[in-house]
Amino acid sequence: MNANAKFGIDTGTSGTKVLAQITYPGKVGTEDLILQSSAIRKVTASYYESLNLVNNRQGSHLSFDGNYWLVGEYAEEAVRRTKVNRVKKHHAVAKVLSIVGQFLSECDRPLDVEIDLMLPSNEAPYYRETEELIFRQIRSFRYGINTVRCNPVRVQVHPEGSGFANYANVYPCSILMFGHQDVTIINLKDEQANVVPNAYTWTGYGTIKILRNFPFAFSNELTGAKLLYEEAMKWGEGGLSAILSEDERLVKLAALKEAKDLVWADLSDDLEADTDFMNSKRVYIGGGGSLFWGDYLAELCQAKADILAPVRKEIKATFTQHHLSASQQQRFIDLYLVWRQHAAPVMQLEAAPVREAV
């Protein structure tokens, strides 16, 4: 009998987030979490053939449909700057194959594969095309120097925010998602409301907006975002302060506060002008960047804010081996809630009780 794999994949700008459940007939299933670099690069056939790389869960080289790709850490370059208008579906197929290919190479029997993929609402016209392309290509493709195969059972694309929408139980409500590239709001009047027509995205207003208003050059944008986040969580003692001299620290921290205030002024003006948002009874907040705005959101949303603490706790307990930070837990909430709809928790074996001598 075949083994079964259920993947949840979110090709976010700051990283490709993956949840995987593998079950073998007659055995207890396993669940894992992967955060792979979002970097991707198309290469020539001759360049591909010259590579001497070992594929792993952090990066791979692969080929399908006559195209050759480097994905994850193997595609990273010294300088990283996000293209804010890039369509995610263009690279989604290669990123999905990069993840699935690694599990196929590790599995010792045929694998039935199910995939839940998250893409932005503004790419909804391409959902069906993306599903069909992944379903077709995943049957057989070149992963490194080998060809891997699987039996695709289901591929489904979901709009970002679907997990929060499924979790919501107070209406009318709003969903605010803070990513590295964008900030997205979804206003839902009732439980029948669809995510796609009710989603609006501020493109380029994620963490990169602060970076581009901050007078300090980072060679890698994601490194800069991480340092600013750490600073926001522990002002004056975080990642940014650690690399600055005492004389620079006060100046740069003041500049960071100015950049935050500037970006938030634009966002809050739009939010306060949004009647549906202001009339919401509950505001569900997610995305790794949400913790960066904690003090501002507390003032704007007050008692209506919900950061889905029970879900964060569940994610942390499910993947204890990864020691996830609060930000990482927050980044996986939307994907986790969608993935769990099809991947019921695996049975956990408890240790046999220790019998004490009487």
Side-chain angles (χ1 to χ4, degrees):
M1 294 178 63
N2 292 0
N4 184 267
K6 297 180 180 181
F7 296 98
I9 302 175
D10 183 349
T11 59
T13 306
S14 63
T16 298
K17 297 176 283 290
V18 182
L19 298 172
Q21 181 186 89
I22 310 297
T23 55
Y24 294 87
K27 295 183 180 180
V28 176
T30 61
E31 294 183 338
D32 208 350
L33 173 153
I34 299 171
L35 184 58
Q36 187 180 95
S37 167
S38 61
I40 184 168
R41 184 157 62 99
K42 198 173 185 178
V43 298
T44 64
S46 56
Y47 183 90
Y48 183 93
E49 299 299 344
S50 71
L51 296 173
N52 184 24
L53 302 173
V54 177
N55 286 352
N56 57 66
R57 295 190 178 191
Q58 296 307 313
S60 65
H61 59 306
L62 58 92
S63 171
F64 66 93
D65 200 25
N67 297 306
Y68 301 82
W69 301 87
L70 296 180
V71 183
E73 65 179 10
Y74 290 145
E76 288 184 338
E77 300 174 356
V79 178
R80 175 72 183 277
R81 188 174 173 86
T82 299
K83 296 180 180 178
V84 295
N85 293 315
R86 171 171 285 170
V87 178
K88 290 184 178 180
K89 72 105 176 176
H90 288 161
H91 293 153
V93 180
K95 290 181 178 182
V96 168
L97 298 188
S98 174
I99 295 299
V100 176
Q102 183 59 34
F103 282 87
L104 292 176
S105 68
E106 296 172 359
C107 191
D108 59 359
R109 67 171 67 198
L111 199 61
D112 294 335
V113 172
E114 298 181 45
I115 296 171
D116 290 292
L117 174 66
M118 312 292 288
L119 287 179
S121 289
N122 59 9
E123 295 186 28
Y126 310 115
Y127 284 1
R128 185 61 179 171
E129 175 189 347
T130 304
E131 290 170 348
E132 292 174 350
L133 186 56
I134 292 174
F135 198 94
R136 184 169 65 251
Q137 298 298 337
I138 207 170
R139 290 182 180 276
S140 176
F141 60 96
R142 191 173 175 190
Y143 186 69
I145 62 174
N146 300 313
T147 297
V148 293
R149 296 177 175 82
C150 72
N151 175 40
V153 175
R154 180 182 60 85
V155 177
Q156 186 173 357
V157 176
H158 307 263
E160 293 173 353
S162 295
F164 291 98
N166 293 333
Y167 179 87
N169 58 6
V170 176
Y171 298 94
C173 70
S174 294
I175 300 166
L176 270 179
M177 299 183 294
F178 294 83
H180 174 70
Q181 175 177 303
D182 306 321
V183 175
T184 297
I185 183 173
I186 304 168
N187 293 317
L188 302 176
K189 293 183 178 181
D190 52 49
E191 59 184 342
Q192 280 77 42
N194 293 325
V195 168
V196 171
N198 292 294
Y200 177 80
T201 296
W202 287 276
T203 302
Y205 266 81
T207 314
I208 59 174
K209 187 70 171 180
I210 299 173
L211 283 166
R212 293 175 184 180
N213 282 281
F214 180 63
F216 191 98
F218 298 100
S219 61
N220 188 303
E221 208 173 64
L222 295 181
T223 300
K226 180 180 179 181
L227 291 173
L228 296 191
Y229 168 79
E230 291 175 351
E231 198 62 45
M233 294 298 98
K234 202 170 185 181
W235 198 263
E237 302 176 30
L240 184 62
S241 292
I243 66 172
L244 297 174
S245 67
E246 190 171 342
D247 292 338
E248 289 180 304
R249 191 175 302 139
L250 293 178
V251 175
K252 296 301 183 185
L253 290 182
L256 176 56
K257 181 66 166 60
E258 287 179 347
K260 285 182 66 179
D261 288 344
L262 176 68
V263 175
W264 183 254
D266 286 345
L267 285 173
S268 60
D269 283 348
D270 285 347
L271 289 171
E272 289 171 357
D274 187 329
T275 305
D276 290 335
F277 173 77
M278 296 304 292
N279 290 336
S280 289
K281 295 181 180 179
R282 186 69 54 85
V283 179
Y284 299 98
I285 298 171
S290 61
L291 300 181
F292 193 85
W293 299 106
D295 47 349
Y296 299 84
L297 287 167
E299 182 178 348
L300 179 66
C301 302
Q302 300 180 3
K304 297 191 295 185
D306 185 345
I307 60 171
L308 286 77
V311 182
R312 282 176 48 184
K313 183 178 179 181
E314 185 176 325
I315 292 171
K316 184 178 180 181
T318 302
F319 303 102
T320 54
Q321 70 274 29
H322 292 285
H323 308 290
L324 299 174
S325 67
S327 174
Q328 289 172 327
Q329 295 164 32
Q330 202 76 5
R331 290 166 73 183
F332 274 92
I333 287 177
D334 192 31
L335 177 63
Y336 182 83
L337 289 170
V338 169
W339 175 69
R340 270 289 179 237
Q341 289 184 308
H342 301 283
V346 297
M347 181 179 65
Q348 300 294 324
L349 295 181
E350 297 181 3
V354 177
R355 302 173 74 81
E356 297 182 2
V358 177

